Amino acid sequence: MTAFLTSVSSVVEIVLVIALGYYLRRTKKFDDKFKGSISFLIMNIALPLSIFVSVLNNLTRSKLVSLSSGLIYVLISFIMGYLISWLLVKILKVRPGRRGTFINMFVNANTIFIGLPLNMALFGQVSLPYFLIYYVANTVSTWAIGVFFISADDPTKTKGSSKGNFNWRKLLPAPLLGFLVALVWLLIGLPLPKLINDTFSMVGGIVTPLSLIYIGIVLADAGLKSIHFDRDTVVALLGRFVIAPAIMIAIVALFKANGQVMPNIESSTLIIQAAAPGLAVLPILVGQSHGDVEYATNVVTTSTVLFVIVVPILMQLIRFI
């Protein structure tokens, strides 16, 4: 019961900060440019610095090797997620323009703007190395595979005209670059001056509250009244909140049953990240491929709202794994 109340309390704190962003946007205290500015600040400055410092403060060379097994769990879960979602697209005959969104909802999560602040609120700074495992795999999956499914789902394309519009630079966003630079720094064994560490930590500390405020702004722009449920939306949400975490739970339980040593905070982090809401950029990517933007916006908004209910339930299930 204590664990349940703690998880509920953590989620409520998150919701209150999101509500602050929602209120300030709805009351026009934040103008149209602010959302873009806050997104740029988080993604290109604060988050890379936060990740850089956190890796150096929380990882050692020996611990880095031990984390590699977590990447295997995540990759297996992604492969299974793509397979199951692709089969459901065929079985349910999801119409063109929605298929890419449907598949991405099963596999790729909003690890930055929701997964990260949620993980920090639930498990603290010590969980960041395990979060980074999921973040790296999720980033590569999104931009190397997820975008392919969205681009291939363009209803305006004719057969034979499907040429990849994949931008390889998107595989190396600033947060991932921060992680990679930190790994090189760690492996070389370079010292980090206290002044630099303190400065980077101070700037990185704004990531969680600003990310939550950003979610509130996105919800305010999307409009809660736009939420509706149809078959494709319901199944996509089941994929995000039931099937994806269930796959991760099964993988973790299987490896533990076979004697694999895994810290509880690692398994908890991977499971929670597997249930994070859909990618915030999905509507933008779908729009670029002339897909069903309304559907993409609906599933992203709905999953962002419903995660508040899902997290306390998952926190209870995690106790038995």
Side-chain angles (χ1 to χ4, degrees), residues 125-145:
Q125 189 80 13
V126 70
S127 68
L128 191 58
Y130 307 112
F131 164 82
L132 291 173
I133 294 172
Y134 201 97
Y135 166 73
V136 171
N138 191 78
T139 298
V140 174
S141 172
T142 298
W143 297 111
I145 304 175

Side-chain angles (χ1 to χ4, degrees), residues 147-161:
V147 169
F148 166 79
F149 279 109
I150 293 175
S151 177
D153 188 38
D154 188 338
T156 65
K157 281 186 177 179
T158 57
K159 289 185 178 179
S161 68

Side-chain angles (χ1 to χ4, degrees), residues 141-214:
S141 172
T142 298
W143 297 111
I145 304 175
V147 169
F148 166 79
F149 279 109
I150 293 175
S151 177
D153 188 38
D154 188 338
T156 65
K157 281 186 177 179
T158 57
K159 289 185 178 179
S161 68
S162 177
K163 290 186 178 181
N165 296 319
F166 179 65
N167 184 353
W168 286 99
R169 288 179 298 176
K170 289 183 177 179
L171 265 179
L172 291 174
L176 184 54
L177 281 175
F179 175 67
L180 295 177
V181 172
L183 286 184
V184 174
W185 199 287
L186 180 66
L187 293 174
I188 295 176
L190 294 175
L192 187 65
K194 185 177 185 302
L195 175 63
I196 300 298
N197 182 77
D198 292 346
T199 303
F200 283 13
S201 298
M202 182 184 298
V203 177
I206 69 175
V207 169
T208 300
L210 283 187
S211 296
L212 295 175
I213 289 174
Y214 177 85

Side-chain angles (χ1 to χ4, degrees), residues 26-100:
R26 294 290 290 181
T27 55
K28 308 298 183 183
K29 298 297 189 298
F30 291 156
D31 59 23
D32 293 337
K33 293 182 179 179
F34 184 73
K35 183 169 80 170
S37 299
I38 195 175
S39 176
F40 178 85
L41 176 60
I42 294 169
M43 290 293 294
N44 294 286
I45 300 175
L47 186 56
L49 295 183
S50 175
I51 289 174
F52 178 83
V53 173
S54 296
V55 167
L56 296 181
N57 289 341
N58 293 287
L59 284 181
T60 60
R61 295 178 190 176
S62 58
K63 193 172 185 180
L64 185 62
V65 175
S66 68
L67 289 176
S68 60
S69 58
L71 189 59
I72 297 175
Y73 312 145
V74 178
L75 292 178
I76 293 175
S77 71
F78 280 13
I79 292 171
M80 293 180 65
Y82 277 118
L83 179 60
I84 292 172
S85 59
W86 181 81
L87 289 173
L88 284 174
V89 164
K90 300 296 183 182
I91 295 171
L92 299 176
K93 297 180 179 178
V94 178
R95 69 172 183 256
R98 288 188 170 190
R99 295 169 182 171

